[in-house]
């Protein structure tokens, strides 16, 4: 079979002994290799389900170059919707921060160590991402005033939703007057946000998102007032 390429004429194949059996054997070996490769990739995908988001070629490149920063950067955005790229520590041995497409940089709560077991450290990155966002949300909720520059847009909006839910539940127990006061407070906050001078595109995106949430929250309070809602269970007052 090695000499087939030396003579491109079809009739030359007739001189190859047991050609049919040889081709069948080669095809069988190729199918066995393909099945073994598919089983191997399936094991990796079961170990880290986000691998189902990418094709076999991309997965093989990741597995073969798990410590190559360029390869990591090119594929992370396919595995994590919110991560466009990452920042590395000394000697590219750890991941120290997550970066969004809009340029937000979120330092990891704990650096993720890059090892040969790519599915293992990617799982640690997934866990670290959630832990970092939870901690950042807690810090933002406790902060007064909120630092728009420091907090990520996702955390700012989540904190706004949590704060509104907490304040709204408290106001419902206080009657119509408390809901009216909450509406006035939200209106004042809306005025503060709209008066901020945004000197960067990123800050502008954050403020716009917060303004949209505030407008929605004010509409919710208006609906609660119109329905004479008297409790979190939604029962109207008499």
């Amino acid at each position: 079979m090695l000499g087939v390429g030396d003579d491109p004429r079809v009739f030359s194949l007739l001189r190859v002994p047991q050609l049919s059996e040889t081709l069948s054997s080669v095809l069988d070996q190729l199918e066995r290799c393909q099945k073994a490769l598919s089983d191997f990739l399936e094991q990796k995908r079961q170990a880290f389900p986000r691998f189902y988001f990418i094709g076999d070629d991309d997965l093989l490149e990741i597995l073969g170059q798990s410590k190559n920063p360029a390869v990591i950067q090119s594929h992370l955005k396919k595995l994590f919707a919110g991560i466009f790229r990452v920042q590395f520590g000394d000697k590219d041995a750890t991941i120290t921060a997550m970066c969004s497409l809009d340029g937000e940089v979120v330092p990891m709560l704990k650096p993720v160590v890059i090892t040969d077991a790519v599915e293992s450290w990617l799982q640690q990155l997934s866990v670290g991402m959630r832990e970092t966002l939870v901690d950042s949300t807690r810090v933002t909720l406790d902060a007064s005033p909120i630092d728009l520059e420091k907090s990520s847009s996702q955390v700012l909006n989540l904190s706004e939703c949590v704060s509104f839910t907490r304040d709204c539940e408290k106001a419902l127990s206080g009657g119509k007057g408390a809901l009216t006061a909450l509406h006035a407070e939200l209106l004042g906050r809306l005025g503060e946000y709209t008066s901020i001078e945004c000197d960067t595109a990123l800050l502008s995106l954050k403020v716009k998102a917060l303004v949209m949430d505030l407008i929605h929250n004010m509409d919710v309070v208006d609906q609660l007032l119109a329905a004479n809602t008297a409790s979190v269970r939604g029962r109207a007052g008499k």
Side-chain angles (χ1 to χ4, degrees):
M1 291 296 294
L2 295 177
V4 170
D6 298 335
D7 190 345
R9 293 176 298 178
V10 175
F11 284 108
S12 66
L13 296 176
L14 298 176
R15 299 194 297 270
V16 179
Q18 298 179 327
L19 178 60
S20 178
E21 292 80 359
T22 301
L23 290 176
S24 297
S25 176
V26 170
L27 178 60
D28 180 66
Q29 293 177 37
L30 287 174
E31 290 176 346
R32 289 174 181 269
C33 290
Q34 182 63 47
K35 185 179 185 304
L37 178 59
S38 298
D39 291 343
F40 171 74
L41 296 180
E42 180 63 22
Q43 290 178 0
K44 296 298 182 181
R45 287 186 167 110
Q46 290 181 1
F48 186 65
R50 286 177 184 264
F51 281 152
Y52 284 107
F53 297 159
I54 59 177
D56 290 350
D57 292 342
D58 289 339
L59 180 51
L60 285 171
E61 186 176 16
I62 292 175
L63 295 174
Q65 303 186 60
S66 61
K67 289 188 175 182
N68 186 328
V71 172
I72 294 173
Q73 294 284 25
S74 65
H75 292 295
L76 275 180
K77 54 181 173 287
K78 304 174 187 177
L79 299 172
F80 299 91
I83 300 179
F84 182 70
R85 63 183 183 87
V86 294
Q87 291 183 354
F88 295 97
D90 293 339
K91 299 180 180 180
D92 296 332
T94 59
I95 293 177
T96 58
M98 305 173 288
C99 307
S100 72
L101 178 62
D102 297 317
E104 291 179 301
V105 178
V106 180
M108 300 295 295
L109 189 61
K110 299 177 183 178
V112 177
V113 179
I114 299 174
T115 65
D116 291 326
V118 61
E119 67 276 14
S120 177
W121 69 257
L122 281 173
Q123 184 64 44
Q124 290 301 313
L125 176 61
S126 180
V127 173
M129 172 184 65
R130 295 194 295 270
E131 291 179 344
T132 297
L133 292 176
V134 168
D135 182 74
S136 182
T137 301
R138 178 187 57 78
V139 172
T140 302
L141 283 170
D142 294 339
S144 181
I146 295 176
D147 190 341
L148 298 182
E149 295 282 359
K150 184 177 180 180
S151 299
S152 66
S153 182
Q154 178 182 359
V155 169
L156 287 172
N157 287 95
L158 178 57
S159 300
E160 181 68 32
C161 290
V162 172
S163 296
F164 171 71
T165 302
R166 180 179 56 200
D167 295 342
C168 194
E169 289 181 348
K170 182 179 179 180
L172 282 171
S173 63
K176 187 174 182 179
L179 280 175
T180 302
L182 175 60
H183 189 280
E185 180 184 341
L186 294 175
L187 183 61
R189 196 181 308 167
L190 179 62
E192 293 176 3
Y193 284 149
T194 53
S195 63
I196 294 176
E197 295 185 4
C198 301
D199 51 1
T200 65
L202 179 56
L203 181 58
S204 178
L205 288 173
K206 291 180 179 181
V207 172
K208 287 179 180 178
L210 286 172
V211 167
M212 292 296 294
D213 278 351
L214 272 173
I215 293 174
H216 169 73
N217 294 342
M218 291 171 63
D219 182 62
V220 170
V221 175
D222 284 336
Q223 293 181 45
L224 292 174
L225 287 168
N228 293 321
T229 307
S231 72
V232 294
R233 296 182 180 276
R235 300 177 65 181
K238 296 182 180 179

